[in-house]
PDB file of all heavy atoms in Angstrom:
ATOM      1  N   SER A   1      21.614 165.866 140.594  1.00 90.00           N
ATOM      2  CA  SER A   1      20.916 167.096 140.253  1.00 90.00           C
ATOM      3  C   SER A   1      21.622 168.301 140.852  1.00 90.00           C
ATOM      4  O   SER A   1      22.202 168.234 141.944  1.00 90.00           O
ATOM      5  CB  SER A   1      19.469 167.050 140.765  1.00 90.00           C
ATOM      6  OG  SER A   1      18.752 165.997 140.191  1.00 90.00           O
ATOM      7  N   GLU A   2      21.560 169.405 140.134  1.00 92.00           N
ATOM      8  CA  GLU A   2      22.090 170.670 140.639  1.00 92.00           C
ATOM      9  C   GLU A   2      21.035 171.385 141.483  1.00 92.00           C
ATOM     10  O   GLU A   2      19.837 171.269 141.231  1.00 92.00           O
ATOM     11  CB  GLU A   2      22.479 171.588 139.483  1.00 92.00           C
ATOM     12  CG  GLU A   2      23.579 171.044 138.594  1.00 92.00           C
ATOM     13  CD  GLU A   2      23.820 171.949 137.401  1.00 92.00           C
ATOM     14  OE1 GLU A   2      22.903 172.696 137.023  1.00 92.00           O
ATOM     15  OE2 GLU A   2      24.928 171.901 136.851  1.00 92.00           O
ATOM     16  N   THR A   3      21.506 172.128 142.465  1.00 94.00           N
ATOM     17  CA  THR A   3      20.641 173.001 143.258  1.00 94.00           C
ATOM     18  C   THR A   3      21.283 174.375 143.312  1.00 94.00           C
ATOM     19  O   THR A   3      22.465 174.490 143.664  1.00 94.00           O
ATOM     20  CB  THR A   3      20.456 172.472 144.694  1.00 94.00           C
ATOM     21  OG1 THR A   3      19.939 171.143 144.646  1.00 94.00           O
ATOM     22  CG2 THR A   3      19.492 173.358 145.473  1.00 94.00           C
ATOM     23  N   ILE A   4      20.534 175.393 142.942  1.00 95.00           N
ATOM     24  CA  ILE A   4      21.093 176.743 142.896  1.00 95.00           C
ATOM     25  C   ILE A   4      20.386 177.653 143.890  1.00 95.00           C
ATOM     26  O   ILE A   4      19.161 177.595 144.053  1.00 95.00           O
ATOM     27  CB  ILE A   4      21.002 177.328 141.463  1.00 95.00           C
ATOM     28  CG1 ILE A   4      21.695 178.703 141.407  1.00 95.00           C
ATOM     29  CG2 ILE A   4      19.575 177.423 140.990  1.00 95.00           C
ATOM     30  CD1 ILE A   4      21.872 179.230 140.006  1.00 95.00           C
ATOM     31  N   THR A   5      21.171 178.455 144.574  1.00 97.00           N
ATOM     32  CA  THR A   5      20.655 179.508 145.449  1.00 97.00           C
ATOM     33  C   THR A   5      21.190 180.830 144.920  1.00 97.00           C
ATOM     34  O   THR A   5      22.409 180.992 144.786  1.00 97.00           O
ATOM     35  CB  THR A   5      21.120 179.305 146.902  1.00 97.00           C
ATOM     36  OG1 THR A   5      20.700 178.016 147.355  1.00 97.00           O
ATOM     37  CG2 THR A   5      20.544 180.376 147.808  1.00 97.00           C
ATOM     38  N   SER A   6      20.308 181.748 144.579  1.00 97.00           N
ATOM     39  CA  SER A   6      20.758 182.979 143.927  1.00 97.00           C
ATOM     40  C   SER A   6      20.022 184.186 144.488  1.00 97.00           C
ATOM     41  O   SER A   6      18.914 184.078 145.021  1.00 97.00           O
ATOM     42  CB  SER A   6      20.527 182.900 142.411  1.00 97.00           C
ATOM     43  OG  SER A   6      19.147 182.797 142.120  1.00 97.00           O
ATOM     44  N   ALA A   7      20.667 185.321 144.369  1.00 98.00           N
ATOM     45  CA  ALA A   7      20.073 186.593 144.791  1.00 98.00           C
ATOM     46  C   ALA A   7      20.509 187.669 143.812  1.00 98.00           C
ATOM     47  O   ALA A   7      21.631 187.654 143.294  1.00 98.00           O
ATOM     48  CB  ALA A   7      20.519 186.958 146.207  1.00 98.00           C
ATOM     49  N   GLU A   8      19.601 188.603 143.545  1.00 97.00           N
ATOM     50  CA  GLU A   8      19.894 189.690 142.611  1.00 97.00           C
ATOM     51  C   GLU A   8      19.127 190.932 143.034  1.00 97.00           C
ATOM     52  O   GLU A   8      17.976 190.845 143.483  1.00 97.00           O
ATOM     53  CB  GLU A   8      19.495 189.294 141.188  1.00 97.00           C
ATOM     54  CG  GLU A   8      19.786 190.358 140.143  1.00 97.00           C
ATOM     55  CD  GLU A   8      19.450 189.897 138.733  1.00 97.00           C
ATOM     56  OE1 GLU A   8      19.072 188.719 138.566  1.00 97.00           O
ATOM     57  OE2 GLU A   8      19.566 190.718 137.805  1.00 97.00           O
ATOM     58  N   ILE A   9      19.768 192.076 142.901  1.00 98.00           N
ATOM     59  CA  ILE A   9      19.100 193.339 143.177  1.00 98.00           C
ATOM     60  C   ILE A   9      19.539 194.334 142.109  1.00 98.00           C
ATOM     61  O   ILE A   9      20.702 194.335 141.687  1.00 98.00           O
ATOM     62  CB  ILE A   9      19.436 193.871 144.597  1.00 98.00           C
ATOM     63  CG1 ILE A   9      18.629 195.127 144.903  1.00 98.00           C
ATOM     64  CG2 ILE A   9      20.932 194.112 144.760  1.00 98.00           C
ATOM     65  CD1 ILE A   9      18.741 195.571 146.346  1.00 98.00           C
ATOM     66  N   GLY A  10      18.606 195.143 141.640  1.00 98.00           N
ATOM     67  CA  GLY A  10      18.942 196.063 140.567  1.00 98.00           C
ATOM     68  C   GLY A  10      17.980 197.231 140.488  1.00 98.00           C
ATOM     69  O   GLY A  10      17.126 197.419 141.365  1.00 98.00           O
ATOM     70  N   PHE A  11      18.113 198.001 139.441  1.00 97.00           N
ATOM     71  CA  PHE A  11      17.271 199.181 139.259  1.00 97.00           C
ATOM     72  C   PHE A  11      17.039 199.414 137.776  1.00 97.00           C
ATOM     73  O   PHE A  11      17.818 198.968 136.923  1.00 97.00           O
ATOM     74  CB  PHE A  11      17.922 200.417 139.890  1.00 97.00           C
ATOM     75  CG  PHE A  11      19.191 200.846 139.201  1.00 97.00           C
ATOM     76  CD1 PHE A  11      19.167 201.753 138.150  1.00 97.00           C
ATOM     77  CD2 PHE A  11      20.415 200.331 139.602  1.00 97.00           C
ATOM     78  CE1 PHE A  11      20.330 202.140 137.510  1.00 97.00           C
ATOM     79  CE2 PHE A  11      21.590 200.714 138.969  1.00 97.00           C
ATOM     80  CZ  PHE A  11      21.549 201.623 137.916  1.00 97.00           C
ATOM     81  N   LYS A  12      15.977 200.117 137.457  1.00 97.00           N
ATOM     82  CA  LYS A  12      15.671 200.579 136.111  1.00 97.00           C
ATOM     83  C   LYS A  12      15.301 202.046 136.210  1.00 97.00           C
ATOM     84  O   LYS A  12      14.587 202.448 137.134  1.00 97.00           O
ATOM     85  CB  LYS A  12      14.517 199.784 135.488  1.00 97.00           C
ATOM     86  CG  LYS A  12      14.830 198.309 135.249  1.00 97.00           C
ATOM     87  CD  LYS A  12      13.641 197.594 134.633  1.00 97.00           C
ATOM     88  CE  LYS A  12      13.945 196.111 134.397  1.00 97.00           C
ATOM     89  NZ  LYS A  12      14.967 195.922 133.351  1.00 97.00           N
ATOM     90  N   SER A  13      15.763 202.870 135.272  1.00 97.00           N
ATOM     91  CA  SER A  13      15.503 204.304 135.365  1.00 97.00           C
ATOM     92  C   SER A  13      15.382 204.924 133.983  1.00 97.00           C
ATOM     93  O   SER A  13      16.036 204.487 133.026  1.00 97.00           O
ATOM     94  CB  SER A  13      16.625 205.004 136.151  1.00 97.00           C
ATOM     95  OG  SER A  13      17.865 204.840 135.505  1.00 97.00           O
ATOM     96  N   ASN A  14      14.548 205.954 133.884  1.00 96.00           N
ATOM     97  CA  ASN A  14      14.426 206.803 132.698  1.00 96.00           C
ATOM     98  C   ASN A  14      14.807 208.225 133.100  1.00 96.00           C
ATOM     99  O   ASN A  14      14.258 208.776 134.055  1.00 96.00           O
ATOM    100  CB  ASN A  14      13.003 206.775 132.150  1.00 96.00           C
ATOM    101  CG  ASN A  14      12.663 205.443 131.503  1.00 96.00           C
ATOM    102  OD1 ASN A  14      13.444 204.905 130.737  1.00 96.00           O
ATOM    103  ND2 ASN A  14      11.493 204.896 131.828  1.00 96.00           N
ATOM    104  N   LEU A  15      15.748 208.817 132.363  1.00 95.00           N
ATOM    105  CA  LEU A  15      16.291 210.122 132.719  1.00 95.00           C
ATOM    106  C   LEU A  15      16.184 211.072 131.533  1.00 95.00           C
ATOM    107  O   LEU A  15      15.895 210.657 130.408  1.00 95.00           O
ATOM    108  CB  LEU A  15      17.756 209.982 133.152  1.00 95.00           C
ATOM    109  CG  LEU A  15      18.068 208.912 134.213  1.00 95.00           C
ATOM    110  CD1 LEU A  15      19.566 208.724 134.350  1.00 95.00           C
ATOM    111  CD2 LEU A  15      17.434 209.281 135.540  1.00 95.00           C
ATOM    112  N   SER A  16      16.431 212.360 131.812  1.00 93.00           N
ATOM    113  CA  SER A  16      16.490 213.399 130.765  1.00 93.00           C
ATOM    114  C   SER A  16      15.275 213.358 129.851  1.00 93.00           C
ATOM    115  O   SER A  16      15.396 213.248 128.625  1.00 93.00           O
ATOM    116  CB  SER A  16      17.782 213.259 129.942  1.00 93.00           C
ATOM    117  OG  SER A  16      18.919 213.402 130.751  1.00 93.00           O
ATOM    118  N   ASN A  17      14.101 213.422 130.490  1.00 93.00           N
ATOM    119  CA  ASN A  17      12.844 213.409 129.727  1.00 93.00           C
ATOM    120  C   ASN A  17      12.742 212.182 128.820  1.00 93.00           C
ATOM    121  O   ASN A  17      12.357 212.268 127.643  1.00 93.00           O
ATOM    122  CB  ASN A  17      12.698 214.693 128.898  1.00 93.00           C
ATOM    123  CG  ASN A  17      12.585 215.929 129.762  1.00 93.00           C
ATOM    124  OD1 ASN A  17      11.923 215.907 130.814  1.00 93.00           O
ATOM    125  ND2 ASN A  17      13.235 217.013 129.347  1.00 93.00           N
ATOM    126  N   ASN A  18      13.113 211.041 129.407  1.00 92.00           N
ATOM    127  CA  ASN A  18      13.031 209.745 128.711  1.00 92.00           C
ATOM    128  C   ASN A  18      13.973 209.610 127.513  1.00 92.00           C
ATOM    129  O   ASN A  18      13.784 208.725 126.681  1.00 92.00           O
ATOM    130  CB  ASN A  18      11.594 209.463 128.264  1.00 92.00           C
ATOM    131  CG  ASN A  18      10.650 209.259 129.427  1.00 92.00           C
ATOM    132  OD1 ASN A  18      11.051 208.707 130.471  1.00 92.00           O
ATOM    133  ND2 ASN A  18       9.415 209.697 129.283  1.00 92.00           N
ATOM    134  N   ARG A  19      14.982 210.453 127.446  1.00 95.00           N
ATOM    135  CA  ARG A  19      15.978 210.324 126.379  1.00 95.00           C
ATOM    136  C   ARG A  19      17.131 209.403 126.797  1.00 95.00           C
ATOM    137  O   ARG A  19      17.933 208.984 125.956  1.00 95.00           O
ATOM    138  CB  ARG A  19      16.531 211.694 125.989  1.00 95.00           C
ATOM    139  CG  ARG A  19      15.490 212.630 125.391  1.00 95.00           C
ATOM    140  CD  ARG A  19      16.098 213.995 125.077  1.00 95.00           C
ATOM    141  NE  ARG A  19      17.131 213.893 124.055  1.00 95.00           N
ATOM    142  CZ  ARG A  19      16.891 213.999 122.746  1.00 95.00           C
ATOM    143  NH1 ARG A  19      15.648 214.186 122.304  1.00 95.00           N
ATOM    144  NH2 ARG A  19      17.878 213.910 121.872  1.00 95.00           N
ATOM    145  N   VAL A  20      17.218 209.087 128.083  1.00 96.00           N
ATOM    146  CA  VAL A  20      18.267 208.219 128.601  1.00 96.00           C
ATOM    147  C   VAL A  20      17.624 207.133 129.464  1.00 96.00           C
ATOM    148  O   VAL A  20      16.782 207.422 130.312  1.00 96.00           O
ATOM    149  CB  VAL A  20      19.295 209.005 129.443  1.00 96.00           C
ATOM    150  CG1 VAL A  20      20.330 208.052 130.052  1.00 96.00           C
ATOM    151  CG2 VAL A  20      19.992 210.060 128.595  1.00 96.00           C
ATOM    152  N   ARG A  21      18.021 205.895 129.222  1.00 97.00           N
ATOM    153  CA  ARG A  21      17.565 204.771 130.040  1.00 97.00           C
ATOM    154  C   ARG A  21      18.794 204.096 130.627  1.00 97.00           C
ATOM    155  O   ARG A  21      19.708 203.700 129.902  1.00 97.00           O
ATOM    156  CB  ARG A  21      16.766 203.774 129.207  1.00 97.00           C
ATOM    157  CG  ARG A  21      16.266 202.567 130.010  1.00 97.00           C
ATOM    158  CD  ARG A  21      15.540 201.546 129.145  1.00 97.00           C
ATOM    159  NE  ARG A  21      14.328 202.118 128.589  1.00 97.00           N
ATOM    160  CZ  ARG A  21      14.096 202.201 127.290  1.00 97.00           C
ATOM    161  NH1 ARG A  21      14.995 201.771 126.415  1.00 97.00           N
ATOM    162  NH2 ARG A  21      12.963 202.729 126.857  1.00 97.00           N
ATOM    163  N   LEU A  22      18.827 203.965 131.961  1.00 97.00           N
ATOM    164  CA  LEU A  22      19.958 203.353 132.657  1.00 97.00           C
ATOM    165  C   LEU A  22      19.442 202.231 133.547  1.00 97.00           C
ATOM    166  O   LEU A  22      18.573 202.458 134.394  1.00 97.00           O
ATOM    167  CB  LEU A  22      20.702 204.396 133.494  1.00 97.00           C
ATOM    168  CG  LEU A  22      21.885 203.875 134.327  1.00 97.00           C
ATOM    169  CD1 LEU A  22      22.980 203.318 133.415  1.00 97.00           C
ATOM    170  CD2 LEU A  22      22.438 204.979 135.227  1.00 97.00           C
ATOM    171  N   ASN A  23      19.976 201.033 133.356  1.00 98.00           N
ATOM    172  CA  ASN A  23      19.586 199.870 134.150  1.00 98.00           C
ATOM    173  C   ASN A  23      20.844 199.214 134.718  1.00 98.00           C
ATOM    174  O   ASN A  23      21.922 199.279 134.120  1.00 98.00           O
ATOM    175  CB  ASN A  23      18.835 198.842 133.294  1.00 98.00           C
ATOM    176  CG  ASN A  23      17.627 199.436 132.600  1.00 98.00           C
ATOM    177  OD1 ASN A  23      16.902 200.253 133.160  1.00 98.00           O
ATOM    178  ND2 ASN A  23      17.405 199.024 131.365  1.00 98.00           N
ATOM    179  N   GLY A  24      20.693 198.566 135.858  1.00 98.00           N
ATOM    180  CA  GLY A  24      21.837 197.879 136.458  1.00 98.00           C
ATOM    181  C   GLY A  24      21.396 196.844 137.460  1.00 98.00           C
ATOM    182  O   GLY A  24      20.269 196.878 137.966  1.00 98.00           O
ATOM    183  N   ALA A  25      22.287 195.912 137.757  1.00 98.00           N
ATOM    184  CA  ALA A  25      21.982 194.860 138.729  1.00 98.00           C
ATOM    185  C   ALA A  25      23.288 194.256 139.226  1.00 98.00           C
ATOM    186  O   ALA A  25      24.301 194.238 138.520  1.00 98.00           O
ATOM    187  CB  ALA A  25      21.105 193.777 138.107  1.00 98.00           C
ATOM    188  N   VAL A  26      23.255 193.757 140.451  1.00 98.00           N
ATOM    189  CA  VAL A  26      24.340 192.948 141.000  1.00 98.00           C
ATOM    190  C   VAL A  26      23.737 191.613 141.403  1.00 98.00           C
ATOM    191  O   VAL A  26      22.552 191.531 141.754  1.00 98.00           O
ATOM    192  CB  VAL A  26      25.021 193.629 142.207  1.00 98.00           C
ATOM    193  CG1 VAL A  26      25.735 194.889 141.769  1.00 98.00           C
ATOM    194  CG2 VAL A  26      24.004 193.950 143.299  1.00 98.00           C
ATOM    195  N   PHE A  27      24.533 190.547 141.353  1.00 97.00           N
ATOM    196  CA  PHE A  27      23.993 189.222 141.621  1.00 97.00           C
ATOM    197  C   PHE A  27      25.030 188.353 142.322  1.00 97.00           C
ATOM    198  O   PHE A  27      26.231 188.610 142.285  1.00 97.00           O
ATOM    199  CB  PHE A  27      23.549 188.550 140.318  1.00 97.00           C
ATOM    200  CG  PHE A  27      24.676 188.261 139.364  1.00 97.00           C
ATOM    201  CD1 PHE A  27      25.418 187.088 139.437  1.00 97.00           C
ATOM    202  CD2 PHE A  27      25.024 189.188 138.388  1.00 97.00           C
ATOM    203  CE1 PHE A  27      26.466 186.835 138.574  1.00 97.00           C
ATOM    204  CE2 PHE A  27      26.065 188.938 137.498  1.00 97.00           C
ATOM    205  CZ  PHE A  27      26.795 187.755 137.605  1.00 97.00           C
ATOM    206  N   TYR A  28      24.525 187.304 142.945  1.00 97.00           N
ATOM    207  CA  TYR A  28      25.353 186.260 143.554  1.00 97.00           C
ATOM    208  C   TYR A  28      24.596 184.951 143.438  1.00 97.00           C
ATOM    209  O   TYR A  28      23.370 184.917 143.589  1.00 97.00           O
ATOM    210  CB  TYR A  28      25.639 186.560 145.034  1.00 97.00           C
ATOM    211  CG  TYR A  28      26.272 185.372 145.740  1.00 97.00           C
ATOM    212  CD1 TYR A  28      27.639 185.133 145.666  1.00 97.00           C
ATOM    213  CD2 TYR A  28      25.476 184.477 146.470  1.00 97.00           C
ATOM    214  CE1 TYR A  28      28.219 184.035 146.289  1.00 97.00           C
ATOM    215  CE2 TYR A  28      26.048 183.375 147.102  1.00 97.00           C
ATOM    216  CZ  TYR A  28      27.414 183.163 147.004  1.00 97.00           C
ATOM    217  OH  TYR A  28      27.978 182.065 147.616  1.00 97.00           O
ATOM    218  N   TYR A  29      25.321 183.864 143.164  1.00 96.00           N
ATOM    219  CA  TYR A  29      24.684 182.555 143.207  1.00 96.00           C
ATOM    220  C   TYR A  29      25.675 181.478 143.614  1.00 96.00           C
ATOM    221  O   TYR A  29      26.886 181.624 143.444  1.00 96.00           O
ATOM    222  CB  TYR A  29      24.006 182.203 141.883  1.00 96.00           C
ATOM    223  CG  TYR A  29      24.909 181.978 140.699  1.00 96.00           C
ATOM    224  CD1 TYR A  29      25.562 180.759 140.501  1.00 96.00           C
ATOM    225  CD2 TYR A  29      25.089 182.972 139.747  1.00 96.00           C
ATOM    226  CE1 TYR A  29      26.371 180.541 139.408  1.00 96.00           C
ATOM    227  CE2 TYR A  29      25.897 182.758 138.637  1.00 96.00           C
ATOM    228  CZ  TYR A  29      26.528 181.544 138.473  1.00 96.00           C
ATOM    229  OH  TYR A  29      27.334 181.330 137.390  1.00 96.00           O
ATOM    230  N   GLN A  30      25.133 180.409 144.164  1.00 97.00           N
ATOM    231  CA  GLN A  30      25.913 179.230 144.517  1.00 97.00           C
ATOM    232  C   GLN A  30      25.180 178.007 143.992  1.00 97.00           C
ATOM    233  O   GLN A  30      23.987 177.840 144.229  1.00 97.00           O
ATOM    234  CB  GLN A  30      26.096 179.117 146.024  1.00 97.00           C
ATOM    235  CG  GLN A  30      26.835 177.847 146.453  1.00 97.00           C
ATOM    236  CD  GLN A  30      27.030 177.774 147.947  1.00 97.00           C
ATOM    237  OE1 GLN A  30      27.825 178.527 148.520  1.00 97.00           O
ATOM    238  NE2 GLN A  30      26.298 176.889 148.596  1.00 97.00           N
ATOM    239  N   VAL A  31      25.900 177.172 143.259  1.00 95.00           N
ATOM    240  CA  VAL A  31      25.336 175.944 142.720  1.00 95.00           C
ATOM    241  C   VAL A  31      25.934 174.773 143.482  1.00 95.00           C
ATOM    242  O   VAL A  31      27.156 174.591 143.497  1.00 95.00           O
ATOM    243  CB  VAL A  31      25.630 175.794 141.216  1.00 95.00           C
ATOM    244  CG1 VAL A  31      24.970 174.516 140.676  1.00 95.00           C
ATOM    245  CG2 VAL A  31      25.137 177.004 140.447  1.00 95.00           C
ATOM    246  N   ASP A  32      25.092 173.986 144.120  1.00 96.00           N
ATOM    247  CA  ASP A  32      25.531 172.750 144.765  1.00 96.00           C
ATOM    248  C   ASP A  32      25.445 171.616 143.751  1.00 96.00           C
ATOM    249  O   ASP A  32      24.474 171.507 142.995  1.00 96.00           O
ATOM    250  CB  ASP A  32      24.657 172.440 145.983  1.00 96.00           C
ATOM    251  CG  ASP A  32      24.816 173.467 147.086  1.00 96.00           C
ATOM    252  OD1 ASP A  32      25.948 173.939 147.294  1.00 96.00           O
ATOM    253  OD2 ASP A  32      23.811 173.813 147.729  1.00 96.00           O
ATOM    254  N   ASP A  33      26.470 170.764 143.746  1.00 94.00           N
ATOM    255  CA  ASP A  33      26.559 169.649 142.799  1.00 94.00           C
ATOM    256  C   ASP A  33      26.550 170.146 141.349  1.00 94.00           C
ATOM    257  O   ASP A  33      25.823 169.626 140.503  1.00 94.00           O
ATOM    258  CB  ASP A  33      25.416 168.648 143.023  1.00 94.00           C
ATOM    259  CG  ASP A  33      25.494 167.985 144.384  1.00 94.00           C
ATOM    260  OD1 ASP A  33      26.612 167.640 144.803  1.00 94.00           O
ATOM    261  OD2 ASP A  33      24.437 167.821 145.035  1.00 94.00           O
ATOM    262  N   GLN A  34      27.368 171.140 141.080  1.00 92.00           N
ATOM    263  CA  GLN A  34      27.478 171.684 139.731  1.00 92.00           C
ATOM    264  C   GLN A  34      27.904 170.590 138.748  1.00 92.00           C
ATOM    265  O   GLN A  34      28.909 169.911 138.940  1.00 92.00           O
ATOM    266  CB  GLN A  34      28.506 172.808 139.713  1.00 92.00           C
ATOM    267  CG  GLN A  34      28.907 173.294 138.338  1.00 92.00           C
ATOM    268  CD  GLN A  34      27.876 174.219 137.717  1.00 92.00           C
ATOM    269  OE1 GLN A  34      27.572 175.261 138.273  1.00 92.00           O
ATOM    270  NE2 GLN A  34      27.340 173.826 136.571  1.00 92.00           N
TER     271      GLN A  34
END
């Protein structure tokens, strides 16, 4: 069986009177017994 340990952090935003939506995230994971 695989075992995964993961982490993620990100943001969501609405700009310019809701005419622009910008989202982003960074992540890391490690799978044991891939």
Side-chain angles (χ1 to χ4, degrees):
S1 299
E2 298 175 336
T3 303
I4 184 170
T5 303
S6 63
E8 181 177 355
I9 185 171
F11 67 90
K12 295 180 180 292
S13 61
N14 289 314
L15 310 170
S16 300
N17 296 321
N18 294 326
R19 296 178 64 90
V20 176
R21 180 183 296 121
L22 178 63
N23 304 321
V26 294
F27 65 87
Y28 169 83
Y29 67 81
Q30 176 179 289
V31 182
D32 294 322
D33 296 319
Q34 169 78 60

